[in-house]
Short mmCIF file of all heavy atoms in Angstrom, two decimals:
data_model
loop_
_atom_site.label_atom_id
_atom_site.label_comp_id
_atom_site.label_asym_id
_atom_site.label_seq_id
_atom_site.Cartn_x
_atom_site.Cartn_y
_atom_site.Cartn_z
N THR A 150 -109.87 118.21 22.31
CA THR A 150 -108.53 117.64 22.68
C THR A 150 -108.27 117.82 24.21
O THR A 150 -107.27 117.35 24.67
CB THR A 150 -107.43 118.14 21.94
OG1 THR A 150 -107.36 119.62 22.23
CG2 THR A 150 -107.59 117.89 20.42
N LEU A 151 -109.19 118.50 24.98
CA LEU A 151 -108.92 118.77 26.33
C LEU A 151 -110.00 118.16 27.30
O LEU A 151 -109.67 117.75 28.38
CB LEU A 151 -109.01 120.23 26.61
CG LEU A 151 -107.64 120.99 26.23
CD1 LEU A 151 -107.99 122.55 26.42
CD2 LEU A 151 -106.52 120.57 27.16
N LEU A 152 -111.21 118.15 26.81
CA LEU A 152 -112.39 117.80 27.71
C LEU A 152 -112.74 116.33 27.67
O LEU A 152 -113.17 115.85 26.66
CB LEU A 152 -113.59 118.66 27.39
CG LEU A 152 -114.76 118.84 28.38
CD1 LEU A 152 -114.20 119.53 29.59
CD2 LEU A 152 -115.89 119.59 27.78
N PRO A 153 -112.52 115.67 28.85
CA PRO A 153 -113.04 114.23 28.80
C PRO A 153 -114.52 114.20 28.91
O PRO A 153 -115.13 115.09 29.26
CB PRO A 153 -112.32 113.75 30.11
CG PRO A 153 -112.14 114.83 30.98
CD PRO A 153 -111.88 116.05 30.06
N PRO A 154 -115.08 113.02 28.47
CA PRO A 154 -114.41 111.76 28.03
C PRO A 154 -114.07 111.77 26.53
O PRO A 154 -113.33 110.94 26.16
CB PRO A 154 -115.40 110.69 28.34
CG PRO A 154 -116.76 111.35 28.15
CD PRO A 154 -116.57 112.81 28.57
N GLY A 155 -114.51 112.78 25.77
CA GLY A 155 -114.31 112.75 24.35
C GLY A 155 -112.85 113.04 23.90
O GLY A 155 -112.46 112.57 22.90
N SER A 156 -112.05 113.61 24.75
CA SER A 156 -110.71 113.87 24.51
C SER A 156 -109.93 112.57 24.24
O SER A 156 -109.02 112.50 23.43
CB SER A 156 -110.00 114.72 25.52
OG SER A 156 -110.02 114.12 26.66
N HIS A 157 -110.18 111.55 25.07
CA HIS A 157 -109.58 110.29 24.88
C HIS A 157 -109.85 109.63 23.55
O HIS A 157 -109.04 109.04 22.81
CB HIS A 157 -109.90 109.32 25.97
CG HIS A 157 -109.70 109.98 27.46
ND1 HIS A 157 -108.46 110.44 27.88
CD2 HIS A 157 -110.55 110.17 28.39
CE1 HIS A 157 -108.66 110.89 29.01
NE2 HIS A 157 -109.94 110.76 29.35
N ALA A 158 -111.15 109.76 23.24
CA ALA A 158 -111.54 109.15 21.85
C ALA A 158 -110.96 109.91 20.61
O ALA A 158 -110.53 109.42 19.73
CB ALA A 158 -113.08 109.14 21.69
N THR A 159 -110.76 111.22 20.87
CA THR A 159 -110.18 112.09 19.83
C THR A 159 -108.69 111.60 19.57
O THR A 159 -108.31 111.63 18.44
CB THR A 159 -110.22 113.64 20.24
OG1 THR A 159 -111.55 113.95 20.40
CG2 THR A 159 -109.59 114.47 19.16
N LEU A 160 -107.89 111.47 20.69
CA LEU A 160 -106.48 111.09 20.49
C LEU A 160 -106.41 109.65 19.84
O LEU A 160 -105.59 109.42 18.99
CB LEU A 160 -105.83 111.03 21.87
CG LEU A 160 -104.28 110.69 21.76
CD1 LEU A 160 -103.59 111.71 20.93
CD2 LEU A 160 -103.67 110.76 23.15
N ALA A 161 -107.37 108.75 20.19
CA ALA A 161 -107.27 107.37 19.66
C ALA A 161 -107.64 107.49 18.05
O ALA A 161 -106.97 106.81 17.27
CB ALA A 161 -108.32 106.48 20.37
N LEU A 162 -108.51 108.41 17.69
CA LEU A 162 -108.83 108.51 16.29
C LEU A 162 -107.78 109.19 15.56
O LEU A 162 -107.37 108.83 14.44
CB LEU A 162 -110.16 109.34 16.18
CG LEU A 162 -111.50 108.77 16.49
CD1 LEU A 162 -112.55 109.81 16.45
CD2 LEU A 162 -111.81 107.64 15.55
N VAL A 163 -107.03 110.13 16.10
CA VAL A 163 -105.91 110.77 15.49
C VAL A 163 -104.79 109.69 15.32
O VAL A 163 -104.12 109.60 14.18
CB VAL A 163 -105.32 111.87 16.34
CG1 VAL A 163 -103.96 112.23 15.96
CG2 VAL A 163 -106.25 113.14 16.29
N GLU A 164 -104.53 108.90 16.32
CA GLU A 164 -103.50 107.81 16.17
C GLU A 164 -103.94 106.79 15.05
O GLU A 164 -103.06 106.32 14.29
CB GLU A 164 -103.30 107.15 17.57
CG GLU A 164 -102.57 108.04 18.53
CD GLU A 164 -102.56 107.46 19.93
OE1 GLU A 164 -103.32 106.62 20.19
OE2 GLU A 164 -101.78 108.05 20.74
N ALA A 165 -105.19 106.48 14.99
CA ALA A 165 -105.61 105.52 13.93
C ALA A 165 -105.43 106.16 12.56
O ALA A 165 -105.15 105.46 11.58
CB ALA A 165 -107.06 105.17 14.14
N ALA A 166 -105.65 107.57 12.44
CA ALA A 166 -105.60 108.10 11.17
C ALA A 166 -104.15 108.31 10.70
O ALA A 166 -103.99 108.30 9.47
CB ALA A 166 -106.03 109.66 11.31
N GLN A 167 -103.08 108.14 11.37
CA GLN A 167 -101.75 108.36 11.01
C GLN A 167 -101.31 107.28 9.95
O GLN A 167 -100.44 107.57 9.20
CB GLN A 167 -100.76 108.24 12.16
CG GLN A 167 -100.95 109.47 13.17
CD GLN A 167 -100.01 109.21 14.48
OE1 GLN A 167 -100.01 108.08 14.95
NE2 GLN A 167 -99.47 110.21 14.87
N ARG A 168 -102.08 106.14 9.86
CA ARG A 168 -101.64 105.23 8.92
C ARG A 168 -101.94 105.58 7.55
O ARG A 168 -101.16 105.06 6.59
CB ARG A 168 -102.31 103.89 9.22
CG ARG A 168 -101.91 103.18 10.57
CD ARG A 168 -102.61 101.82 10.73
NE ARG A 168 -103.97 101.90 10.93
CZ ARG A 168 -104.61 101.97 12.18
NH1 ARG A 168 -103.80 102.10 13.15
NH2 ARG A 168 -105.92 102.04 12.17
N SER A 169 -102.86 106.38 7.25
CA SER A 169 -103.25 106.75 5.92
C SER A 169 -103.27 108.30 5.68
O SER A 169 -103.28 108.71 4.44
CB SER A 169 -104.72 106.08 5.58
OG SER A 169 -105.57 106.59 6.43
N ALA A 170 -103.30 109.09 6.74
CA ALA A 170 -103.58 110.46 6.67
C ALA A 170 -102.54 111.37 7.23
O ALA A 170 -101.83 110.93 8.29
CB ALA A 170 -104.96 110.85 7.14
N THR A 171 -102.32 112.60 6.81
CA THR A 171 -101.55 113.46 7.56
C THR A 171 -102.51 114.16 8.67
O THR A 171 -103.82 114.04 8.53
CB THR A 171 -101.06 114.65 6.68
OG1 THR A 171 -102.03 115.02 5.71
CG2 THR A 171 -99.80 114.27 6.08
N VAL A 172 -102.04 114.64 9.69
CA VAL A 172 -102.81 115.16 10.82
C VAL A 172 -102.45 116.52 11.10
O VAL A 172 -101.22 116.90 11.07
CB VAL A 172 -102.50 114.21 12.05
CG1 VAL A 172 -103.27 114.88 13.35
CG2 VAL A 172 -103.06 112.79 11.81
N SER A 173 -103.40 117.40 11.44
CA SER A 173 -103.07 118.83 11.93
C SER A 173 -103.77 118.96 13.13
O SER A 173 -104.90 118.35 13.54
CB SER A 173 -103.47 119.86 10.89
OG SER A 173 -104.88 119.73 10.60
N TYR A 174 -103.23 119.97 14.05
CA TYR A 174 -103.79 120.36 15.31
C TYR A 174 -103.71 121.82 15.72
O TYR A 174 -102.64 122.38 15.30
CB TYR A 174 -102.96 119.47 16.36
CG TYR A 174 -103.09 119.86 17.76
CD1 TYR A 174 -104.29 119.74 18.38
CD2 TYR A 174 -102.01 120.35 18.54
CE1 TYR A 174 -104.46 120.03 19.79
CE2 TYR A 174 -102.07 120.76 19.95
CZ TYR A 174 -103.49 120.63 20.45
OH TYR A 174 -103.43 121.01 21.75
N ASP A 175 -104.66 122.29 16.36
CA ASP A 175 -104.75 123.71 16.75
C ASP A 175 -105.23 123.78 18.25
O ASP A 175 -106.45 123.41 18.43
CB ASP A 175 -105.55 124.58 15.86
CG ASP A 175 -105.75 125.96 16.35
OD1 ASP A 175 -105.11 126.33 17.36
OD2 ASP A 175 -106.55 126.70 15.64
N PRO A 176 -104.58 124.02 19.19
CA PRO A 176 -105.01 123.89 20.58
C PRO A 176 -106.01 124.90 20.78
O PRO A 176 -107.03 124.65 21.66
CB PRO A 176 -103.73 124.20 21.44
CG PRO A 176 -102.78 125.00 20.50
CD PRO A 176 -103.09 124.40 19.15
N ASN A 177 -106.10 126.03 20.25
CA ASN A 177 -107.23 127.03 20.48
C ASN A 177 -107.66 127.07 21.83
O ASN A 177 -108.84 126.74 22.13
CB ASN A 177 -108.38 126.77 19.40
CG ASN A 177 -109.24 127.84 19.27
OD1 ASN A 177 -108.89 129.11 19.21
ND2 ASN A 177 -110.51 127.54 19.22
N CYS A 178 -106.76 127.35 22.73
CA CYS A 178 -106.97 127.23 24.19
C CYS A 178 -108.15 127.97 24.73
O CYS A 178 -108.39 129.16 24.23
CB CYS A 178 -105.78 127.66 24.90
SG CYS A 178 -104.28 126.61 24.52
N ARG A 179 -108.94 127.36 25.60
CA ARG A 179 -110.06 128.03 26.28
C ARG A 179 -109.84 127.98 27.77
O ARG A 179 -110.39 126.96 28.47
CB ARG A 179 -111.37 127.28 25.79
CG ARG A 179 -111.73 127.42 24.46
CD ARG A 179 -112.13 128.93 24.17
NE ARG A 179 -112.56 129.20 22.68
CZ ARG A 179 -111.70 129.73 21.83
NH1 ARG A 179 -110.36 130.11 22.13
NH2 ARG A 179 -112.08 129.89 20.66
N PRO A 180 -109.05 128.86 28.28
CA PRO A 180 -108.67 128.75 29.81
C PRO A 180 -109.89 128.58 30.70
O PRO A 180 -109.87 127.93 31.67
CB PRO A 180 -107.89 130.06 30.04
CG PRO A 180 -107.19 130.45 28.62
CD PRO A 180 -108.30 130.00 27.70
N GLY A 181 -110.98 129.24 30.38
CA GLY A 181 -112.15 129.22 31.23
C GLY A 181 -112.83 127.88 31.46
O GLY A 181 -113.51 127.68 32.44
N ILE A 182 -112.55 126.97 30.54
CA ILE A 182 -113.11 125.58 30.65
C ILE A 182 -112.08 124.61 30.46
O ILE A 182 -112.28 123.43 30.36
CB ILE A 182 -114.20 125.33 29.64
CG1 ILE A 182 -113.70 125.62 28.22
CG2 ILE A 182 -115.46 126.12 29.97
CD1 ILE A 182 -114.82 125.27 27.17
N SER A 183 -110.88 124.94 30.71
CA SER A 183 -109.66 124.02 30.61
C SER A 183 -109.58 123.34 32.02
O SER A 183 -109.87 123.91 33.13
CB SER A 183 -108.47 124.76 30.30
OG SER A 183 -107.33 123.88 30.51
N PRO A 184 -109.00 122.11 32.07
CA PRO A 184 -108.71 121.42 33.30
C PRO A 184 -107.60 122.10 34.13
O PRO A 184 -107.26 121.63 35.14
CB PRO A 184 -108.37 119.93 32.88
CG PRO A 184 -108.02 120.09 31.43
CD PRO A 184 -108.80 121.20 30.87
N GLY A 185 -106.91 123.04 33.46
CA GLY A 185 -105.72 123.59 34.16
C GLY A 185 -104.58 123.59 33.16
O GLY A 185 -104.45 122.83 32.32
#
Side-chain angles (χ1 to χ4, degrees):
T150 61
L151 280 175
L152 195 64
S156 57
H157 307 303
T159 300
L160 184 58
L162 287 170
V163 164
E164 290 171 341
Q167 292 172 320
R168 293 188 290 271
S169 58
T171 41
V172 174
S173 59
Y174 166 63
D175 175 4
N177 196 42
C178 298
R179 293 290 178 259
I182 54 177
S183 169

